[in-house]
Amino acid sequence: MITLHDFDLSGSCYKIRLFLNILGLKFERVPVDFGNREHKSAKYLALNPFGELPVFQDGDLVLRDTQAILVYLATRYDPSRQWYPDDPVSMGRIQQWLSTGGGEVMNASGARLVKCFGVTTLDLDKLQAGAHRVFRIMDDRLAATGSYLALEDRATLGDIACFPYTALAGEGGIDLAAYPHILAWIDRLRRLPGFIPMPGIPALP
Ligand SMILES: N[C@@H](CCC(=O)N[C@@H](CS)C(=O)NCC(=O)O)C(=O)O
């Protein structure tokens, strides 16, 4: 049985919900009361001492870190290895974007925490500038591939990892208008079989 400790408005949790849906896997959702800081409770910290969402369970296995969970799901449940091909060059290319999704793109997540969740301890200007730096690089990369971030011929885990907080950037006061290749990529991902929406990332009409 797969269980996801989940929060509807979390882009990180959405990466996992989206990929589970793409793979057609059933799972049980355990809602976490993020507003009341349930992710800092002793019970939650026993699952993830970092006190972050999401936490993923598959039988006795407990995993934290969204990108690690994506890699586990792709290697365990996608025998075609479409999303994380089993060759060193592809894996290296995809890993670059997995790291970017859990790293620089999270500037946009921080900006959204300030603008939408009332967090006052973060530096909004710095986060927005960091997001613009990575979006410039992503836009140039997508201009070159004309398709996806890591591999030219298909969407991979690298795209899933970078997608939600890029698509939600507007909620952090970050305008994507200067990044036409990112905007086209967002719509490309919204057309993937198995796509599901989340608040702020609607399905295409
Ligand atoms: N490295 C973690 C970061 C995930 C993350 O930032 N989660 C947010 C919710 S989207 C969180 O739990 N923040 C609470 C906190 O950092 O205290 C991952 O990629 O899974």
Side-chain angles (χ1 to χ4, degrees):
M1 157 72 79
I2 293 177
T3 303
L4 181 66
H5 298 260
D6 192 16
F7 173 53
D8 279 351
L9 300 182
S10 159
S12 299
C13 294
Y14 170 67
K15 293 180 199 178
I16 306 303
R17 292 198 301 275
L18 173 61
F19 194 50
L20 284 166
N21 206 64
I22 286 172
L23 294 181
L25 294 171
K26 297 224 175 316
F27 65 103
E28 185 181 309
R29 230 185 123 248
V30 178
V32 177
D33 187 350
F34 190 77
N36 284 318
R37 297 176 60 76
E38 189 186 341
H39 54 299
K40 305 297 180 192
S41 67
K43 192 172 163 209
Y44 191 90
L45 290 173
L47 288 171
N48 179 5
F50 286 77
E52 293 174 340
L53 287 159
V55 164
F56 170 93
Q57 293 179 279
D58 190 1
D60 292 336
L61 174 72
V62 180
L63 286 178
R64 63 166 176 86
D65 188 89
T66 311
Q67 286 56 239
I69 299 164
L70 290 174
V71 166
Y72 170 77
L73 285 171
T75 47
R76 173 89 173 73
Y77 290 110
D78 174 24
S80 74
R81 295 299 293 265
Q82 177 187 342
W83 292 89
Y84 194 50
D86 190 13
D87 74 90
V89 172
S90 299
M91 289 169 95
R93 288 195 170 135
I94 292 166
Q95 184 58 51
Q96 296 182 128
W97 293 104
L98 283 166
S99 295
T100 305
E104 291 84 348
V105 172
M106 293 304 276
N107 280 301
S109 167
R112 180 170 170 262
L113 285 175
V114 176
K115 299 280 276 184
C116 298
F117 293 83
V119 173
T120 54
T121 49
L122 297 172
D123 182 339
L124 181 61
D125 290 344
K126 198 170 156 199
L127 290 163
Q128 289 176 333
H132 278 295
R133 264 196 307 279
V134 67
F135 291 158
R136 180 73 275 139
I137 291 165
M138 285 169 61
D139 199 69
D140 290 347
R141 169 71 185 156
L142 291 165
T145 65
S147 55
Y148 300 103
L149 288 169
L151 304 183
E152 287 78 4
D153 66 335
R154 70 183 86 172
T156 68
L157 292 190
D159 298 283
I160 304 272
C162 293
F163 171 56
Y165 285 116
T166 303
L168 293 167
E171 295 188 357
I174 300 154
D175 188 354
L176 292 178
Y179 311 109
H181 302 284
I182 287 182
L183 291 172
W185 168 79
I186 289 170
D187 284 355
R188 207 169 290 130
L189 295 176
R190 289 163 81 203
R191 277 189 219 104
L192 286 174
F195 173 84
I196 48 167
M198 75 164 269
I201 311 181
L204 283 168

